[in-house]
Amino acid sequence: MADFNKQSVLFPELLSRPTYVRFDEPNTTSDGGALLLKSIDDKLGLTGSLARCLADPREPGKIQHPLSDIIRQRVFGLCCGYSDTNDVARIGHDPMQKLLLGRDPLDGDDLASQPTLSRFENTRRRVDLFRLADTLAATVIRRHRYRLSGQKCKMVTIDLDPTDDPVHGAQQLSMFNGYYDARCYLPMLGFVNFNDEPEQYLVAAMLRPGNAPTKQGAIGILKRLIPELRMAFPFAWIRVRLDGGFACPELFTFLEEQEVEYLVGVAKNSILSKRSAAALAKAQELFEDRGETVPVFGEMLYAAQKWRYQRRVIYKAEVVSYPDREPRNNCRFVVTNMTEDPETVYEIYRQRGDCENRIKELKDGLYLDRLSCSSFWANQLRLLLVAAAYVLMQELRLQMKATPLARAQVETLRLQLLKIGGQVKRSVRRIVIHLAANHPWRRQWYKAARALGAAIP
């Protein structure tokens, strides 16, 4: 096997003179900007709070890696792009990763090994995971209560959305799902939005079997979130937006008992189609006259067989046309207790679609789909660690307001602010991290550091 510290790669004819490449620069890191993560975590108290939720069954005298360090290692690693516990074999000696755990970057202990991380994942009790979930939600809500303390929060919106997570082995409770045509898990993710802000903040993540109905677990999540949000924002209205898979009598009853605003999609049926037929006919006329989609809105009172009484249903009827496709009719229905006009109500409901962008970030940027443990509860722990990493990345994005990174995706934030080549030097008095002088996003990194309390001359 090649010794990369001694051997070199030679490109004799690539440039004007022979060019060598050697991996021999000591105490270097490719995550030089990741110190921002530690600053964010210290301000939020996130990983420390998560660690305090867990009981440690290990013998105290034999513990080398505290639970707080293990959680930080996994959460910071996910933020830096290391998706799996096996990655520790590549980053275990990295000085920046050690520095993030508060260890000496040069002489400190290496990161916890893959077997240690696996034992950690597979020895968590169910009660521990409930505590982790509650602590994650409480930390996010507390952060935004503090952030919005100087302004009036009039509306808090809760969005719940399931997603598929295909599995590739014999994971416990992974089931075949006909809609996704795969064996999978169906995690439920919860987001909160404040006033008219564009960002939806992750606040809940619950793993479910692959054959779980969409509504499973929704009331349980809302039972925990609504009281905490009311306590944090006593003068704000709470609004709940859900898609059609959640519609059921028990959910509507629960939301009405909680006295919250709600918008819940409902699947079309023969009665709804019949009562919206006139609106669809008008939409067809407008499409023929103008050659473009023109939505027509309306409302009705409607009660399904299992509903105890009628509820307001608003609808949108339109004809949609895409290139190289035949025009098709499109009718959407939303059950609501809001009193605004149908077009306004539907526009508010439509905004819940931004959840899909957040879920895409979680999958593409933070490896939500790497739930590859055999145990269901171990995978629930992985899901919560991914959620914690996303909370840190959303906070990093929040610090970049009024810059081009204010709406950047996780991968862009990682590339521009965290993945910076650098060298770590330590003296008796200080630690200096030498970053690439020509890093193209140096200004953005300075802004984030300054926002997080760094003293920049």
Side-chain angles (χ1 to χ4, degrees):
M1 184 175 181
D3 184 348
F4 294 109
N5 289 325
K6 296 181 180 179
Q7 301 296 324
S8 62
V9 179
L10 171 64
F11 294 95
E13 299 176 356
L14 187 63
L15 299 173
S16 60
R17 63 186 68 184
T19 303
Y20 293 84
V21 176
R22 291 191 177 97
F23 287 88
D24 60 355
E25 190 67 25
N27 307 324
T28 53
T29 178
S30 60
D31 302 315
L35 204 61
L36 297 175
L37 296 174
K38 181 170 174 54
S39 180
I40 290 171
D41 184 53
D42 286 351
K43 286 183 176 296
L44 295 181
L46 178 59
T47 59
S49 297
L50 294 179
R52 288 191 290 272
C53 294
L54 304 177
D56 195 343
R58 299 174 294 176
E59 295 183 29
K62 297 181 179 179
I63 294 176
Q64 181 180 359
H65 304 283
L67 290 181
S68 57
D69 282 4
I70 293 175
I71 290 176
R72 290 187 180 103
Q73 177 179 330
R74 287 289 285 127
V75 171
F76 293 155
L78 286 164
C79 291
C80 291
Y82 305 112
S83 63
D84 200 76
T85 57
N86 293 327
D87 290 319
V88 72
R90 290 178 280 275
I91 65 170
H93 309 287
D94 188 288
M96 177 54 69
Q97 294 296 327
K98 290 195 284 186
L99 195 59
L100 293 179
L101 303 187
R103 301 179 182 181
D104 187 286
L106 308 186
D107 300 330
D109 291 337
D110 290 345
L111 305 186
S113 65
Q114 185 273 333
T116 299
L117 297 178
S118 293
R119 284 192 296 270
F120 165 72
E121 291 178 339
N122 286 280
T123 55
R124 297 304 104 203
R125 301 173 302 165
R126 183 176 177 180
V127 65
D128 291 338
L129 301 175
F130 279 111
R131 289 174 184 157
L132 286 174
D134 285 343
T135 300
L136 180 75
T139 301
V140 173
I141 292 170
R142 182 174 64 248
R143 163 63 179 122
H144 293 290
R145 179 183 62 186
Y146 174 78
R147 180 176 66 86
L148 298 170
S149 58
Q151 53 185 296
K152 189 173 182 180
C153 181
K154 298 180 180 180
M155 178 65 66
V156 181
T157 303
I158 303 173
D159 293 300
L160 302 181
D161 212 6
T163 186
D164 66 309
D165 189 349
V167 301
H168 306 285
Q171 284 100 315
Q172 188 181 33
L173 293 183
S174 62
M175 302 290 182
F176 181 80
N177 186 291
Y179 180 81
Y180 295 106
D181 194 26
R183 287 185 64 88
C184 62
Y185 288 123
L186 286 181
M188 174 86 75
L189 302 172
F191 302 85
V192 290
N193 169 265
F194 302 96
N195 293 331
D196 296 324
E197 293 181 346
E199 185 78 30
Q200 293 169 309
Y201 299 97
L202 181 64
V203 73
M206 182 180 71
L207 191 63
R208 305 182 305 164
N211 60 353
T214 300
K215 63 184 180 181
Q216 181 176 316
I219 292 179
I221 293 176
L222 293 172
K223 277 183 178 179
R224 295 196 299 273
L225 288 182
I226 291 174
E228 287 199 49
L229 288 168
R230 281 210 167 112
M231 188 176 299
F233 304 97
F235 302 107
W237 278 98
I238 295 179
R239 176 184 291 157
V240 178
R241 294 186 298 205
L242 306 167
D243 70 14
F246 291 89
C248 62
E250 54 268 29
L251 179 70
F252 291 130
T253 300
F254 168 78
L255 294 173
E256 288 158 356
E257 289 173 349
Q258 294 294 314
E259 297 181 347
V260 299
E261 289 186 353
Y262 64 82
L263 305 94
V264 182
V266 63
K268 68 179 180 180
N269 56 38
S270 58
I271 296 176
L272 293 175
S273 297
K274 182 178 180 180
R275 296 179 64 178
S276 62
L280 181 59
K282 183 171 181 60
Q284 291 170 337
E285 291 179 11
L286 292 171
F287 180 79
E288 292 174 0
D289 290 343
R290 303 184 187 181
E292 61 182 11
T293 298
V294 181
V296 177
F297 297 91
E299 64 179 287
M300 68 180 84
L301 290 176
Y302 169 77
Q305 289 184 352
K306 295 184 179 181
W307 297 6
R308 290 184 293 180
Y309 46 81
Q310 291 183 328
R311 294 182 170 91
R312 185 189 187 205
V313 177
I314 64 102
Y315 55 85
K316 179 187 74 169
E318 63 184 1
V319 179
V320 295
S321 178
Y322 298 101
D324 302 323
R325 297 186 189 180
E326 289 293 323
R328 65 178 181 86
N329 298 332
N330 180 45
C331 288
R332 300 296 178 93
F333 303 90
V334 178
V335 183
T336 184
N337 61 351
M338 295 178 62
T339 58
E340 287 82 354
D341 64 90
E343 184 173 358
T344 299
V345 172
Y346 192 84
E347 178 60 25
I348 294 172
Y349 175 76
R350 187 186 64 82
Q351 293 169 6
R352 71 168 301 279
D354 198 45
C355 283
E356 296 179 6
N357 294 324
R358 308 284 75 77
I359 292 173
K360 183 179 179 181
E361 274 194 299
L362 283 160
K363 288 185 173 182
D364 295 345
L366 291 168
Y367 319 105
L368 178 69
D369 53 357
R370 292 299 298 271
L371 306 181
S372 52
C373 294
S374 59
S375 163
F376 179 82
W377 295 116
N379 285 319
Q380 171 66 76
L381 175 62
R382 283 197 172 192
L383 180 65
L384 289 171
L385 294 177
V386 169
Y390 191 55
V391 169
L392 296 185
M393 296 302 284
Q394 285 194 300
E395 181 65 21
L396 179 57
R397 179 161 54 207
L398 190 61
Q399 301 301 328
M400 302 309 297
K401 57 186 177 182
T403 76
L405 296 179
R407 295 291 289 165
Q409 297 285 301
V410 163
E411 290 179 311
T412 302
L413 292 171
R414 178 186 295 141
L415 172 67
Q416 298 189 13
L417 300 179
L418 306 182
K419 306 299 285 188
I420 309 173
Q423 185 177 42
V424 179
K425 292 186 178 181
R426 179 208 60 198
S427 67
V428 175
R429 298 178 57 189
R430 61 181 182 174
I431 295 172
V432 180
I433 303 168
H434 295 272
L435 301 181
N438 294 317
H439 180 61
W441 297 285
R442 181 173 56 180
R443 289 179 180 271
Q444 287 89 331
W445 195 93
Y446 272 128
K447 177 176 176 56
R450 186 180 290 110
L452 293 167
I456 300 176

